[in-house]
Amino acid sequence: MKVLVLGTSGQVGDALMHASWPAGTTLVGLARPALDMADPASIDRAMADHAPDLVVNATAYTAVDKAESDRAAAFAINRDGPARLAALCAARGAPLIHISTDYVFDGTKPAPYTEGDPVAPVNAYGASKEAGEAAVRAAAATHVILRTSWVYAAHGANFVKTMLRLGRERAELGVVADQTGAPTAAADIADTIVAIVERIQSRPDDVPWGTYHLTGAGETTWFGFAERIFQRLEREEGRRPALKPIATADYPTPARRPVNSRLDCGRLRAAFDVEPPAWEDSLERVLDALFAEASTKTP
């Protein structure tokens, strides 16, 4: 099976290229400038040139705050590109796995969101991703949409790397403590996608296509996430900034964020027999890699 991974410069795309794929898989990865999801001709060329049996779309416009003033670009990449890609996949008979986000919800539910809960994005980024989901569903019957949250990795820009940098630079930090969710390692997303692809390969006539939630197991706040990072920073380097819990209202941003980003992953577990690791365990593995990398750069 030839698997085409789109967005390999991002966290999930990079993790997919380093994942353990089953024997017989031919893996092809594309990122800019070879692929531009805002350019229909670029998508057409990628599909024609590589003729994949299955496509994983890990591309996205993820600048949440910038999307408020750049809606056209966000919708071009997060809605229009996936719509064209899904139509091409359907024409080829190639299943599509598409990454989405917790930001399709408004965050007002007091419990974890299920796949059947109504979507109600509160910012332009979330609206563009929800529109992308709808486009994929409309164009390709054989699809798996994976909504995830708070993604991080040793690769790319993310909350973990930002906290480590700030923790080394500052004596005190304020971190939002009233938004709840589940940090999700890109490697765990990649491993789940590999498991789904294996199911598609082994039982192609018995695949439960549809929308699923995938996050690290457990929950925390951004403040709790930062605390865990700084506990490790203190063990490794003997430094730890003082953390101050702050409210979302005290940290205004152009885009609103959902207060509750928790996603119920039970449907994914039942359908594909995958069990995401505890977020704390996955964080330790990523921190292992980051501190190992930092040690090689120390004079």
Side-chain angles (χ1 to χ4, degrees), residues 206-267:
D206 183 32
V207 179
W209 307 106
T211 301
Y212 295 90
H213 291 170
L214 166 61
T215 69
E219 63 183 64
T220 189
T221 63
W222 290 111
F223 180 85
F225 195 7
E227 275 194 315
R228 190 84 180 196
I229 295 165
F230 293 140
Q231 287 172 7
R232 181 67 182 272
L233 180 64
E234 184 175 36
R235 292 200 305 270
E236 296 286 343
E237 300 180 7
R239 71 181 92 191
R240 180 173 180 170
L243 271 182
K244 175 186 176 183
I246 62 174
T248 298
D250 296 330
Y251 188 71
T253 56
R256 286 177 57 197
R257 265 69 170 176
V259 173
N260 175 27
S261 285
R262 293 175 295 161
L263 302 178
D264 185 324
C265 302
R267 185 167 185 258

Side-chain angles (χ1 to χ4, degrees), residues 144-270:
V144 172
I145 295 171
L146 293 173
R147 293 175 179 150
T148 189
S149 69
W150 299 17
V151 179
Y152 67 94
H155 170 84
N158 54 66
F159 182 81
V160 175
K161 295 174 76 172
T162 297
M163 288 298 102
L164 286 175
R165 175 177 58 80
L166 293 176
R168 290 168 174 139
E169 295 173 353
R170 301 185 186 177
E172 181 176 295
L173 282 174
V175 179
V176 171
D178 59 357
Q179 295 176 24
T180 305
T184 311
D188 294 338
I189 299 172
D191 289 345
T192 298
I193 290 173
V194 170
I196 292 171
V197 172
E198 289 177 325
R199 170 69 173 273
I200 293 170
Q201 285 180 299
S202 64
R203 296 161 61 186
D205 297 326
D206 183 32
V207 179
W209 307 106
T211 301
Y212 295 90
H213 291 170
L214 166 61
T215 69
E219 63 183 64
T220 189
T221 63
W222 290 111
F223 180 85
F225 195 7
E227 275 194 315
R228 190 84 180 196
I229 295 165
F230 293 140
Q231 287 172 7
R232 181 67 182 272
L233 180 64
E234 184 175 36
R235 292 200 305 270
E236 296 286 343
E237 300 180 7
R239 71 181 92 191
R240 180 173 180 170
L243 271 182
K244 175 186 176 183
I246 62 174
T248 298
D250 296 330
Y251 188 71
T253 56
R256 286 177 57 197
R257 265 69 170 176
V259 173
N260 175 27
S261 285
R262 293 175 295 161
L263 302 178
D264 185 324
C265 302
R267 185 167 185 258
L268 178 73
R269 188 182 307 112

Side-chain angles (χ1 to χ4, degrees), residues 1 16 25 32 74 143 147 187 197 261 273 282 287:
M1 173 181 277
L16 283 162
T25 303
R32 286 186 175 183
H143 69 264
R147 293 175 179 150
V197 172
S261 285
D273 194 27
S282 294
L287 289 172

